């Protein structure tokens, strides 16, 4: 298996650099979408002087640093979106990546739950350590150690994300028993018409009708879903590394992330898109 050969050789084992170039294209595309969506739903006016968000930023960062953040916020939104698009298109990709990462890190200063930003930075740093990011939309296949180190890091990061997520779910009786998912769907069913931004959710109607009533049957169904998710998160990383099981793991992973994204499309777009994109790093 290439991963263990890479470890044994001190990351000098030649691998196909094209796999990481595919991830570069996906990374840039996902970040372009995320940054473009940041203009919507009040994002452009988030730090308008005198607003609540500006006041919170001042309390958190202090007057001087908050004024700096407010002054660069709108230009940074534009620049980072252009840089992400350039990264996806392969136009000076390393320089574009050096602009994208600080642009993403800026969100750590004002988002309440910046987990997607942290994952973006982790995978982005792995990409930054690659020796051959490619040019344009052309992907070069062959054998070279240029991207071996970066690919191994991406595999480790994604494996840690999956296994840590599974561990947290196992430790949560509410999730493990299906109660959390049943309550979430039930609450969403009750309040969906009152939500200010309904586009942030995409739960199919038949799911709401048949599993959103918080009955014992619903809880049992969601318990089965919870056990399936935990099992999939544990099994996916090793299954992605073996050529025989990789096609099935890819289909299972895409299906699982598609279901996740239906719960919160805008919030999980980055995590799901980047995680599925790292599957290229697993490929032999």
């Amino acid at each position: 298996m290439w991963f263990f050969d890479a470890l044994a050789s001190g990351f000098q084992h030649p691998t196909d650099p094209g796999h990481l170039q595919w991830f570069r294209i996906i990374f840039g595309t996902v970040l372009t979408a995320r940054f473009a969506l940041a203009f919507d739903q009040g994002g452009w006016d988030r730090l308008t002087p005198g607003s609540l968000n500006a006041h919170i930023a001042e309390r958190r960062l202090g007057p001087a640093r908050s004024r700096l953040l407010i002054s660069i916020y709108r230009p940074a939104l534009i620049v980072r979106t252009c840089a992400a698009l350039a990264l996806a298109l392969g136009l000076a990709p390393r320089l574009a990546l050096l602009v994208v990462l600080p642009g993403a890190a800026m969100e750590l200063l004002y988002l309440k739950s910046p987990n997607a930003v942290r994952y973006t930075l982790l995978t982005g740093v792995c990409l930054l350590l690659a020796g051959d990011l490619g040019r344009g939309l052309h992907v070069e296949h062959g054998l070279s150690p240029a991207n071996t180190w970066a690919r191994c890091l991406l595999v480790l990061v994604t494996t840690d994300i999956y296994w840590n997520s599974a561990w947290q779910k196992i430790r949560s009786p509410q999730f493990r028993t299906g109660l959390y998912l049943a309550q979430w769907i039930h609450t969403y069913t009750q309040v969906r018409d009152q939500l200010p931004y309904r586009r942030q959710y995409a739960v199919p109607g038949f799911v709401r009708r048949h599993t959103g009533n918080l009955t014992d049957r619903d809880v049992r169904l969601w318990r089965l879903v919870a056990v399936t998710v935990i099992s999939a998160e544990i099994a996916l990383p090793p299954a992605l590394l073996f050529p025989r099981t990789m096609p099935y793991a890819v289909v299972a992973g895409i299906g699982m992330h598609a279901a996740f994204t239906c719960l919160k499309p805008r919030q999980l777009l980055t995590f799901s898109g980047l995680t599925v994109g790292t599957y290229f790093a697993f490929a032999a």
Side-chain angles (χ1 to χ4, degrees), residues 203-257:
V203 180
F206 75 91
V207 173
R208 299 194 306 270
R209 290 191 298 272
H210 297 290
T211 65
N213 301 307
L214 209 58
T215 63
D216 291 340
R217 171 187 166 276
D218 292 344
V219 175
R220 287 196 299 270
L221 285 173
W222 286 113
R223 181 188 305 151
L224 178 61
V225 172
V227 172
T228 301
V229 169
I230 292 171
S231 301
E233 289 181 331
I234 294 172
L236 273 175
L240 286 166
L241 281 173
F242 287 95
R244 288 186 178 181
T245 57
M246 185 179 186
Y248 306 102
V250 169
V251 172
I254 291 175
M256 182 177 70
H257 283 285

Side-chain angles (χ1 to χ4, degrees), residues 80-94:
R80 71 178 190 173
T81 305
C82 295
L85 181 59
L87 179 63
L89 296 176
L91 306 175
R94 196 168 300 277

Side-chain angles (χ1 to χ4, degrees), residues 3-282:
F3 181 78
F4 296 108
D5 290 338
L7 294 179
S9 67
F11 308 105
Q12 296 305 308
H13 179 73
T15 58
D16 188 344
H19 293 308
L20 208 70
Q21 293 169 12
W22 272 117
F23 178 68
R24 183 262 300 168
I25 294 172
I26 293 172
F27 185 92
T29 302
V30 170
L31 266 294
T32 300
R34 176 182 177 83
F35 293 162
L37 287 172
F39 290 93
D40 191 21
Q41 296 184 358
W44 180 253
D45 298 319
R46 179 189 300 273
L47 294 176
T48 302
S51 67
L52 177 61
N53 284 316
H55 177 67
I56 293 173
E58 183 175 353
R59 291 191 60 182
R60 179 185 297 179
L61 304 174
R65 285 186 292 179
S66 66
R67 282 196 298 270
L68 176 62
L69 174 62
I70 291 170
S71 66
I72 68 170
Y73 175 71
R74 285 182 172 177
L77 291 184
I78 298 171
V79 171
R80 71 178 190 173
T81 305
C82 295
L85 181 59
L87 179 63
L89 296 176
L91 306 175
R94 196 168 300 277
L95 176 61
L97 187 57
L98 288 172
V99 176
V100 165
L101 292 180
M106 179 181 70
E107 296 182 2
L108 293 172
L109 300 175
Y110 52 81
L111 289 186
K112 294 180 180 178
S113 181
N115 291 331
V117 181
R118 296 191 182 101
Y119 185 58
T120 298
L121 297 177
L122 277 174
T123 53
V125 168
C126 294
L127 198 57
L128 190 61
L129 295 173
D132 183 6
L133 292 176
R135 294 281 180 178
L137 295 175
H138 176 67
V139 174
E140 299 177 1
H141 293 286
L143 289 176
S144 166
N147 292 343
T148 300
W149 168 235
R151 286 186 61 187
C152 287
L153 282 179
L154 273 177
V155 168
L156 291 174
V157 166
T158 301
T159 300
D160 176 72
I161 288 292
Y162 274 138
W163 285 357
N164 185 61
S165 176
W167 174 242
Q168 297 300 324
K169 291 180 176 66
I170 290 171
R171 293 182 60 194
S172 169
Q174 192 174 18
F175 185 91
R176 197 173 62 244
T177 59
L179 186 58
Y180 169 78
L181 292 173
Q183 290 174 331
W184 196 98
I185 294 295
H186 175 71
T187 302
Y188 172 69
T189 301
Q190 300 301 312
V191 305
R192 62 184 297 267
D193 293 330
Q194 303 174 41
L195 295 174
Y197 301 121
R198 292 177 59 180
R199 287 180 298 166
Q200 292 190 19
Y201 306 92
V203 180
F206 75 91
V207 173
R208 299 194 306 270
R209 290 191 298 272
H210 297 290
T211 65
N213 301 307
L214 209 58
T215 63
D216 291 340
R217 171 187 166 276
D218 292 344
V219 175
R220 287 196 299 270
L221 285 173
W222 286 113
R223 181 188 305 151
L224 178 61
V225 172
V227 172
T228 301
V229 169
I230 292 171
S231 301
E233 289 181 331
I234 294 172
L236 273 175
L240 286 166
L241 281 173
F242 287 95
R244 288 186 178 181
T245 57
M246 185 179 186
Y248 306 102
V250 169
V251 172
I254 291 175
M256 182 177 70
H257 283 285
F260 286 166
T261 306
C262 281
L263 298 179
K264 296 181 180 180
R266 289 175 65 97
Q267 294 184 34
L268 293 178
L269 167 69
T270 305
F271 173 72
S272 293
L274 294 184
T275 304
V276 171
T278 64
Y279 292 177
F280 280 102
F282 285 81

